[in-house]
Amino acid sequence: MKMLENKWALVTGSSRGIGQQIAWGLAGRGCNIIVHGRERQNLDATLAGLKAYPVQTAIATGELASAAGVAQVIEQASAAPGPVDILYNNAAVQARSESILTIDQAEWNRVFQINVWALMALCQAFAPGMRARGYGRIINLTSGIADQPNLAVYSVSKAAVDKYSRDLAAEFKGENVLVNYLDPGWLQTDLGGKNAWFPVETVLPGALVPALLEDNGPTGRFFSAMDFKYLEK
Ligand SMILES: NC(=O)c1ccc[n+]([C@@H]2O[C@H](COP(=O)([O-])OP(=O)(O)OC[C@H]3O[C@@H](n4cnc5c(N)ncnc54)[C@H](OP(=O)(O)O)[C@@H]3O)[C@@H](O)[C@H]2O)c1
């Protein structure tokens, strides 16, 4: 089994939901984890689960809706015992459901700040170090959402993430900094809701695939966690 021992991963939004599963899944591969959420006390459950694995942990807190909060996340993650080798940009928010004809700019700005600008700032902060060390894995969470115009702010933010991921991958072509984007599937989380198709645990092992790629493996690609739903964890 491929392991990620001695690597450090920052998983944004790992206090609950999909990010929590990813944090635990990466720890199961021996990866050290920087857990992130807005409030320190919300990280206890994830940290308790991580105790089952022989890995180191660190904490980064910060509100991705503000530039100051993003800077705080970068500062705290940079203070972890090891450099960020794997950046899992998982945190995001859903948009307010509203007619595509009347959504105001404030809502576009709110969702884009968290889902797009914060993600890009984290890439800008940590990708240069990956380049210098000749190893990096960046995975950005996207969505398969389609034909829901009332949630256009969210779906367009994810389309921006897809395109940004491909452009960033091109920047690092041949440098072993692999940038990919992953659709987790429609999962039962606070964001996905109770009626979602699958339990959140089914995001593993698929969500680990882009983090486990061999050196100079695929980059700028789309991955679907649900493609691996029936694989052994
Ligand atoms: N669930 C689905 O069906 C589904 C489908 C397609 C794509 N996705 C994508 O998968 C990712 C995870 O979704 P999820 O369903 O696990 O969501 P979730 O259950 O709502 O969890 C969101 C995570 O992001 C953090 N977060 C939320 N707002 C934040 C903010 N303003 N600043 C910093 N952190 C913030 C939360 O931390 P705190 O609240 O503790 O701060 C939490 O850990 C997202 O990118 C989402 O778009 C989900």
Side-chain angles (χ1 to χ4, degrees):
M1 182 159 84
K2 183 171 172 62
M3 298 297 284
L4 295 167
E5 279 152 345
N6 302 318
K7 302 287 190 222
W8 278 88
L10 167 60
V11 185
T12 66
S14 44
S15 58
R16 54 193 162 96
I18 292 166
Q20 183 178 64
Q21 294 294 318
I22 291 169
W24 289 340
L26 289 171
R29 297 295 183 132
C31 189
N32 302 311
I33 305 292
I34 305 167
V35 181
H36 163 260
R38 280 170 289 187
E39 304 290 341
R40 169 64 188 83
Q41 64 268 24
N42 292 345
L43 303 177
D44 286 345
T46 304
L47 290 166
L50 287 171
K51 286 204 167 75
Y53 306 98
V55 300
Q56 298 179 68
T57 59
I59 290 168
T61 56
E63 167 61 78
L64 298 178
S66 75
V70 174
Q72 180 178 309
V73 175
I74 291 168
E75 189 188 331
Q76 293 186 5
S78 300
V84 173
D85 304 300
I86 299 168
L87 172 60
Y88 221 122
N89 274 311
N90 163 78
V93 290
Q94 183 53 278
R96 196 173 65 221
S97 180
E98 185 178 336
S99 167
I100 193 171
L101 300 178
T102 58
I103 300 165
D104 62 23
Q105 192 176 352
E107 179 65 354
W108 286 96
N109 289 347
R110 180 184 76 85
V111 173
F112 266 66
Q113 164 61 37
I114 299 166
N115 293 8
V116 184
W117 307 128
L119 175 151
M120 295 195 301
L122 290 167
C123 291
Q124 289 181 345
F126 295 114
M130 296 176 184
R131 166 177 270 162
R133 293 185 299 277
Y135 176 95
R137 304 287 181 266
I138 297 175
I139 304 111
N140 296 325
L141 260 287
T142 186
S143 170
I145 189 169
D147 302 329
Q148 293 197 58
N150 279 36
L151 297 176
V153 179
Y154 175 78
S155 60
V156 175
S157 78
K158 292 299 187 181
V161 167
D162 297 356
K163 179 63 177 139
Y164 177 74
S165 301
R166 292 194 295 271
D167 282 355
L168 191 63
E171 168 68 19
F172 290 107
K173 200 88 184 165
E175 296 187 75
N176 197 31
V177 177
L178 309 179
V179 186
N180 292 293
Y181 48 112
L182 175 112
D183 174 12
W186 191 23
L187 303 178
Q188 293 149 12
T189 65
D190 293 336
L191 188 152
K194 285 195 290 286
N195 296 327
W197 287 332
F198 302 113
V200 68
E201 293 78 13
T202 60
V203 79
L204 299 179
L208 303 183
V209 172
L212 292 168
L213 295 172
E214 293 296 337
D215 286 355
N216 296 307
T219 188
R221 303 271 186 89
F222 168 79
F223 287 80
S224 165
M226 288 300 101
D227 284 349
F228 305 93
K229 187 157 56 84
Y230 299 105
L231 267 189
E232 197 181 334
K233 286 206 171 126

